mmCIF file with all atom_site columns, all heavy atoms in Angstrom:
data_model
loop_
_atom_site.group_PDB
_atom_site.id
_atom_site.type_symbol
_atom_site.label_atom_id
_atom_site.label_alt_id
_atom_site.label_comp_id
_atom_site.label_asym_id
_atom_site.label_entity_id
_atom_site.label_seq_id
_atom_site.pdbx_PDB_ins_code
_atom_site.Cartn_x
_atom_site.Cartn_y
_atom_site.Cartn_z
_atom_site.occupancy
_atom_site.B_iso_or_equiv
_atom_site.pdbx_formal_charge
_atom_site.auth_seq_id
_atom_site.auth_comp_id
_atom_site.auth_asym_id
_atom_site.auth_atom_id
_atom_site.pdbx_PDB_model_num
ATOM 1   N N   . LEU A 1 97  ? 60.255 37.254 -34.970 1.00 97.00 ? 97  LEU A N   1
ATOM 2   C CA  . LEU A 1 97  ? 61.058 36.021 -34.979 1.00 97.00 ? 97  LEU A CA  1
ATOM 3   C C   . LEU A 1 97  ? 62.011 36.014 -36.168 1.00 97.00 ? 97  LEU A C   1
ATOM 4   O O   . LEU A 1 97  ? 63.166 35.622 -36.054 1.00 97.00 ? 97  LEU A O   1
ATOM 5   C CB  . LEU A 1 97  ? 60.144 34.788 -35.060 1.00 97.00 ? 97  LEU A CB  1
ATOM 6   C CG  . LEU A 1 97  ? 59.500 34.324 -33.762 1.00 97.00 ? 97  LEU A CG  1
ATOM 7   C CD1 . LEU A 1 97  ? 58.496 33.209 -34.046 1.00 97.00 ? 97  LEU A CD1 1
ATOM 8   C CD2 . LEU A 1 97  ? 60.558 33.834 -32.765 1.00 97.00 ? 97  LEU A CD2 1
ATOM 9   N N   . ARG A 1 98  ? 61.488 36.469 -37.295 1.00 96.00 ? 98  ARG A N   1
ATOM 10  C CA  . ARG A 1 98  ? 62.327 36.473 -38.493 1.00 96.00 ? 98  ARG A CA  1
ATOM 11  C C   . ARG A 1 98  ? 63.509 37.421 -38.313 1.00 96.00 ? 98  ARG A C   1
ATOM 12  O O   . ARG A 1 98  ? 64.640 37.118 -38.708 1.00 96.00 ? 98  ARG A O   1
ATOM 13  C CB  . ARG A 1 98  ? 61.503 36.897 -39.705 1.00 96.00 ? 98  ARG A CB  1
ATOM 14  C CG  . ARG A 1 98  ? 62.332 36.899 -40.939 1.00 96.00 ? 98  ARG A CG  1
ATOM 15  C CD  . ARG A 1 98  ? 61.620 37.600 -42.049 1.00 96.00 ? 98  ARG A CD  1
ATOM 16  N NE  . ARG A 1 98  ? 60.903 36.638 -42.844 1.00 96.00 ? 98  ARG A NE  1
ATOM 17  C CZ  . ARG A 1 98  ? 60.376 36.930 -44.035 1.00 96.00 ? 98  ARG A CZ  1
ATOM 18  N NH1 . ARG A 1 98  ? 60.466 38.139 -44.517 1.00 96.00 ? 98  ARG A NH1 1
ATOM 19  N NH2 . ARG A 1 98  ? 59.768 36.015 -44.731 1.00 96.00 ? 98  ARG A NH2 1
ATOM 20  N N   . GLY A 1 99  ? 63.259 38.580 -37.691 1.00 97.00 ? 99  GLY A N   1
ATOM 21  C CA  . GLY A 1 99  ? 64.338 39.537 -37.452 1.00 97.00 ? 99  GLY A CA  1
ATOM 22  C C   . GLY A 1 99  ? 65.389 38.984 -36.498 1.00 97.00 ? 99  GLY A C   1
ATOM 23  O O   . GLY A 1 99  ? 66.589 39.184 -36.683 1.00 97.00 ? 99  GLY A O   1
ATOM 24  N N   . LEU A 1 100 ? 64.908 38.268 -35.478 1.00 97.00 ? 100 LEU A N   1
ATOM 25  C CA  . LEU A 1 100 ? 65.838 37.758 -34.461 1.00 97.00 ? 100 LEU A CA  1
ATOM 26  C C   . LEU A 1 100 ? 66.601 36.525 -34.935 1.00 97.00 ? 100 LEU A C   1
ATOM 27  O O   . LEU A 1 100 ? 67.748 36.314 -34.560 1.00 97.00 ? 100 LEU A O   1
ATOM 28  C CB  . LEU A 1 100 ? 65.064 37.390 -33.187 1.00 97.00 ? 100 LEU A CB  1
ATOM 29  C CG  . LEU A 1 100 ? 64.521 38.556 -32.366 1.00 97.00 ? 100 LEU A CG  1
ATOM 30  C CD1 . LEU A 1 100 ? 63.614 38.053 -31.257 1.00 97.00 ? 100 LEU A CD1 1
ATOM 31  C CD2 . LEU A 1 100 ? 65.689 39.363 -31.778 1.00 97.00 ? 100 LEU A CD2 1
ATOM 32  N N   . LEU A 1 101 ? 65.921 35.695 -35.723 1.00 97.00 ? 101 LEU A N   1
ATOM 33  C CA  . LEU A 1 101 ? 66.519 34.419 -36.146 1.00 97.00 ? 101 LEU A CA  1
ATOM 34  C C   . LEU A 1 101 ? 66.416 34.291 -37.667 1.00 97.00 ? 101 LEU A C   1
ATOM 35  O O   . LEU A 1 101 ? 65.649 33.467 -38.187 1.00 97.00 ? 101 LEU A O   1
ATOM 36  C CB  . LEU A 1 101 ? 65.790 33.240 -35.477 1.00 97.00 ? 101 LEU A CB  1
ATOM 37  C CG  . LEU A 1 101 ? 65.807 33.202 -33.956 1.00 97.00 ? 101 LEU A CG  1
ATOM 38  C CD1 . LEU A 1 101 ? 64.802 32.192 -33.425 1.00 97.00 ? 101 LEU A CD1 1
ATOM 39  C CD2 . LEU A 1 101 ? 67.210 32.849 -33.458 1.00 97.00 ? 101 LEU A CD2 1
ATOM 40  N N   . PRO A 1 102 ? 67.168 35.111 -38.412 1.00 97.00 ? 102 PRO A N   1
ATOM 41  C CA  . PRO A 1 102 ? 66.999 35.126 -39.873 1.00 97.00 ? 102 PRO A CA  1
ATOM 42  C C   . PRO A 1 102 ? 67.348 33.803 -40.547 1.00 97.00 ? 102 PRO A C   1
ATOM 43  O O   . PRO A 1 102 ? 66.924 33.556 -41.673 1.00 97.00 ? 102 PRO A O   1
ATOM 44  C CB  . PRO A 1 102 ? 67.944 36.258 -40.326 1.00 97.00 ? 102 PRO A CB  1
ATOM 45  C CG  . PRO A 1 102 ? 68.861 36.508 -39.188 1.00 97.00 ? 102 PRO A CG  1
ATOM 46  C CD  . PRO A 1 102 ? 68.191 36.055 -37.944 1.00 97.00 ? 102 PRO A CD  1
ATOM 47  N N   . ASP A 1 103 ? 68.109 32.955 -39.863 1.00 97.00 ? 103 ASP A N   1
ATOM 48  C CA  . ASP A 1 103 ? 68.506 31.690 -40.504 1.00 97.00 ? 103 ASP A CA  1
ATOM 49  C C   . ASP A 1 103 ? 67.486 30.577 -40.309 1.00 97.00 ? 103 ASP A C   1
ATOM 50  O O   . ASP A 1 103 ? 67.658 29.476 -40.843 1.00 97.00 ? 103 ASP A O   1
ATOM 51  C CB  . ASP A 1 103 ? 69.859 31.216 -39.945 1.00 97.00 ? 103 ASP A CB  1
ATOM 52  C CG  . ASP A 1 103 ? 70.952 32.213 -40.277 1.00 97.00 ? 103 ASP A CG  1
ATOM 53  O OD1 . ASP A 1 103 ? 70.789 32.941 -41.284 1.00 97.00 ? 103 ASP A OD1 1
ATOM 54  O OD2 . ASP A 1 103 ? 71.947 32.279 -39.524 1.00 97.00 ? 103 ASP A OD2 1
ATOM 55  N N   . VAL A 1 104 ? 66.446 30.848 -39.508 1.00 97.00 ? 104 VAL A N   1
ATOM 56  C CA  . VAL A 1 104 ? 65.446 29.807 -39.247 1.00 97.00 ? 104 VAL A CA  1
ATOM 57  C C   . VAL A 1 104 ? 64.194 30.123 -40.054 1.00 97.00 ? 104 VAL A C   1
ATOM 58  O O   . VAL A 1 104 ? 63.736 31.268 -40.070 1.00 97.00 ? 104 VAL A O   1
ATOM 59  C CB  . VAL A 1 104 ? 65.075 29.771 -37.739 1.00 97.00 ? 104 VAL A CB  1
ATOM 60  C CG1 . VAL A 1 104 ? 63.999 28.724 -37.475 1.00 97.00 ? 104 VAL A CG1 1
ATOM 61  C CG2 . VAL A 1 104 ? 66.311 29.516 -36.888 1.00 97.00 ? 104 VAL A CG2 1
ATOM 62  N N   . ASN A 1 105 ? 63.653 29.119 -40.742 1.00 98.00 ? 105 ASN A N   1
ATOM 63  C CA  . ASN A 1 105 ? 62.366 29.331 -41.427 1.00 98.00 ? 105 ASN A CA  1
ATOM 64  C C   . ASN A 1 105 ? 61.239 28.918 -40.484 1.00 98.00 ? 105 ASN A C   1
ATOM 65  O O   . ASN A 1 105 ? 61.095 27.737 -40.149 1.00 98.00 ? 105 ASN A O   1
ATOM 66  C CB  . ASN A 1 105 ? 62.301 28.510 -42.715 1.00 98.00 ? 105 ASN A CB  1
ATOM 67  C CG  . ASN A 1 105 ? 61.027 28.816 -43.481 1.00 98.00 ? 105 ASN A CG  1
ATOM 68  O OD1 . ASN A 1 105 ? 60.640 29.981 -43.622 1.00 98.00 ? 105 ASN A OD1 1
ATOM 69  N ND2 . ASN A 1 105 ? 60.342 27.785 -43.952 1.00 98.00 ? 105 ASN A ND2 1
ATOM 70  N N   . HIS A 1 106 ? 60.461 29.890 -40.027 1.00 98.00 ? 106 HIS A N   1
ATOM 71  C CA  . HIS A 1 106 ? 59.336 29.599 -39.134 1.00 98.00 ? 106 HIS A CA  1
ATOM 72  C C   . HIS A 1 106 ? 58.067 29.378 -39.943 1.00 98.00 ? 106 HIS A C   1
ATOM 73  O O   . HIS A 1 106 ? 57.700 30.223 -40.759 1.00 98.00 ? 106 HIS A O   1
ATOM 74  C CB  . HIS A 1 106 ? 59.124 30.746 -38.133 1.00 98.00 ? 106 HIS A CB  1
ATOM 75  C CG  . HIS A 1 106 ? 60.210 30.847 -37.124 1.00 98.00 ? 106 HIS A CG  1
ATOM 76  N ND1 . HIS A 1 106 ? 61.253 31.739 -37.232 1.00 98.00 ? 106 HIS A ND1 1
ATOM 77  C CD2 . HIS A 1 106 ? 60.432 30.147 -35.982 1.00 98.00 ? 106 HIS A CD2 1
ATOM 78  C CE1 . HIS A 1 106 ? 62.070 31.582 -36.202 1.00 98.00 ? 106 HIS A CE1 1
ATOM 79  N NE2 . HIS A 1 106 ? 61.592 30.627 -35.423 1.00 98.00 ? 106 HIS A NE2 1
ATOM 80  N N   . VAL A 1 107 ? 57.433 28.271 -39.710 1.00 98.00 ? 107 VAL A N   1
ATOM 81  C CA  . VAL A 1 107 ? 56.185 27.919 -40.406 1.00 98.00 ? 107 VAL A CA  1
ATOM 82  C C   . VAL A 1 107 ? 55.044 28.096 -39.416 1.00 98.00 ? 107 VAL A C   1
ATOM 83  O O   . VAL A 1 107 ? 55.075 27.510 -38.325 1.00 98.00 ? 107 VAL A O   1
ATOM 84  C CB  . VAL A 1 107 ? 56.239 26.440 -40.862 1.00 98.00 ? 107 VAL A CB  1
ATOM 85  C CG1 . VAL A 1 107 ? 54.926 26.034 -41.512 1.00 98.00 ? 107 VAL A CG1 1
ATOM 86  C CG2 . VAL A 1 107 ? 57.414 26.215 -41.788 1.00 98.00 ? 107 VAL A CG2 1
ATOM 87  N N   . PHE A 1 108 ? 54.057 28.892 -39.781 1.00 98.00 ? 108 PHE A N   1
ATOM 88  C CA  . PHE A 1 108 ? 52.934 29.124 -38.860 1.00 98.00 ? 108 PHE A CA  1
ATOM 89  C C   . PHE A 1 108 ? 51.915 27.997 -39.031 1.00 98.00 ? 108 PHE A C   1
ATOM 90  O O   . PHE A 1 108 ? 51.464 27.719 -40.140 1.00 98.00 ? 108 PHE A O   1
ATOM 91  C CB  . PHE A 1 108 ? 52.308 30.489 -39.146 1.00 98.00 ? 108 PHE A CB  1
ATOM 92  C CG  . PHE A 1 108 ? 51.314 30.913 -38.105 1.00 98.00 ? 108 PHE A CG  1
ATOM 93  C CD1 . PHE A 1 108 ? 51.710 31.120 -36.793 1.00 98.00 ? 108 PHE A CD1 1
ATOM 94  C CD2 . PHE A 1 108 ? 49.984 31.115 -38.438 1.00 98.00 ? 108 PHE A CD2 1
ATOM 95  C CE1 . PHE A 1 108 ? 50.794 31.512 -35.821 1.00 98.00 ? 108 PHE A CE1 1
ATOM 96  C CE2 . PHE A 1 108 ? 49.064 31.513 -37.476 1.00 98.00 ? 108 PHE A CE2 1
ATOM 97  C CZ  . PHE A 1 108 ? 49.472 31.705 -36.162 1.00 98.00 ? 108 PHE A CZ  1
ATOM 98  N N   . VAL A 1 109 ? 51.575 27.343 -37.932 1.00 98.00 ? 109 VAL A N   1
ATOM 99  C CA  . VAL A 1 109 ? 50.660 26.190 -37.957 1.00 98.00 ? 109 VAL A CA  1
ATOM 100 C C   . VAL A 1 109 ? 49.310 26.654 -37.425 1.00 98.00 ? 109 VAL A C   1
ATOM 101 O O   . VAL A 1 109 ? 49.230 27.252 -36.342 1.00 98.00 ? 109 VAL A O   1
ATOM 102 C CB  . VAL A 1 109 ? 51.209 25.047 -37.068 1.00 98.00 ? 109 VAL A CB  1
ATOM 103 C CG1 . VAL A 1 109 ? 50.290 23.835 -37.133 1.00 98.00 ? 109 VAL A CG1 1
ATOM 104 C CG2 . VAL A 1 109 ? 52.642 24.671 -37.463 1.00 98.00 ? 109 VAL A CG2 1
ATOM 105 N N   . LEU A 1 110 ? 48.244 26.371 -38.183 1.00 98.00 ? 110 LEU A N   1
ATOM 106 C CA  . LEU A 1 110 ? 46.905 26.751 -37.699 1.00 98.00 ? 110 LEU A CA  1
ATOM 107 C C   . LEU A 1 110 ? 45.856 25.787 -38.228 1.00 98.00 ? 110 LEU A C   1
ATOM 108 O O   . LEU A 1 110 ? 46.083 25.092 -39.223 1.00 98.00 ? 110 LEU A O   1
ATOM 109 C CB  . LEU A 1 110 ? 46.556 28.198 -38.085 1.00 98.00 ? 110 LEU A CB  1
ATOM 110 C CG  . LEU A 1 110 ? 46.176 28.545 -39.513 1.00 98.00 ? 110 LEU A CG  1
ATOM 111 C CD1 . LEU A 1 110 ? 45.688 29.997 -39.584 1.00 98.00 ? 110 LEU A CD1 1
ATOM 112 C CD2 . LEU A 1 110 ? 47.311 28.369 -40.484 1.00 98.00 ? 110 LEU A CD2 1
ATOM 113 N N   . GLY A 1 111 ? 44.720 25.724 -37.543 1.00 97.00 ? 111 GLY A N   1
ATOM 114 C CA  . GLY A 1 111 ? 43.622 24.888 -38.000 1.00 97.00 ? 111 GLY A CA  1
ATOM 115 C C   . GLY A 1 111 ? 42.947 25.529 -39.206 1.00 97.00 ? 111 GLY A C   1
ATOM 116 O O   . GLY A 1 111 ? 42.957 26.754 -39.370 1.00 97.00 ? 111 GLY A O   1
ATOM 117 N N   . SER A 1 112 ? 42.344 24.683 -40.078 1.00 97.00 ? 112 SER A N   1
ATOM 118 C CA  . SER A 1 112 ? 41.739 25.223 -41.301 1.00 97.00 ? 112 SER A CA  1
ATOM 119 C C   . SER A 1 112 ? 40.566 26.150 -40.977 1.00 97.00 ? 112 SER A C   1
ATOM 120 O O   . SER A 1 112 ? 40.294 27.093 -41.725 1.00 97.00 ? 112 SER A O   1
ATOM 121 C CB  . SER A 1 112 ? 41.294 24.090 -42.226 1.00 97.00 ? 112 SER A CB  1
ATOM 122 O OG  . SER A 1 112 ? 40.413 23.212 -41.565 1.00 97.00 ? 112 SER A OG  1
ATOM 123 N N   . THR A 1 113 ? 39.884 25.918 -39.866 1.00 96.00 ? 113 THR A N   1
ATOM 124 C CA  . THR A 1 113 ? 38.786 26.825 -39.484 1.00 96.00 ? 113 THR A CA  1
ATOM 125 C C   . THR A 1 113 ? 39.338 28.229 -39.226 1.00 96.00 ? 113 THR A C   1
ATOM 126 O O   . THR A 1 113 ? 38.686 29.224 -39.555 1.00 96.00 ? 113 THR A O   1
ATOM 127 C CB  . THR A 1 113 ? 38.078 26.317 -38.209 1.00 96.00 ? 113 THR A CB  1
ATOM 128 O OG1 . THR A 1 113 ? 39.076 25.978 -37.246 1.00 96.00 ? 113 THR A OG1 1
ATOM 129 C CG2 . THR A 1 113 ? 37.222 25.087 -38.496 1.00 96.00 ? 113 THR A CG2 1
#
Side-chain angles (χ1 to χ4, degrees):
L97 279 173
R98 180 193 266 193
L100 289 172
L101 300 167
D103 297 334
V104 178
N105 185 44
H106 290 99
V107 177
F108 190 63
V109 182
L110 75 172
S112 56
T113 47

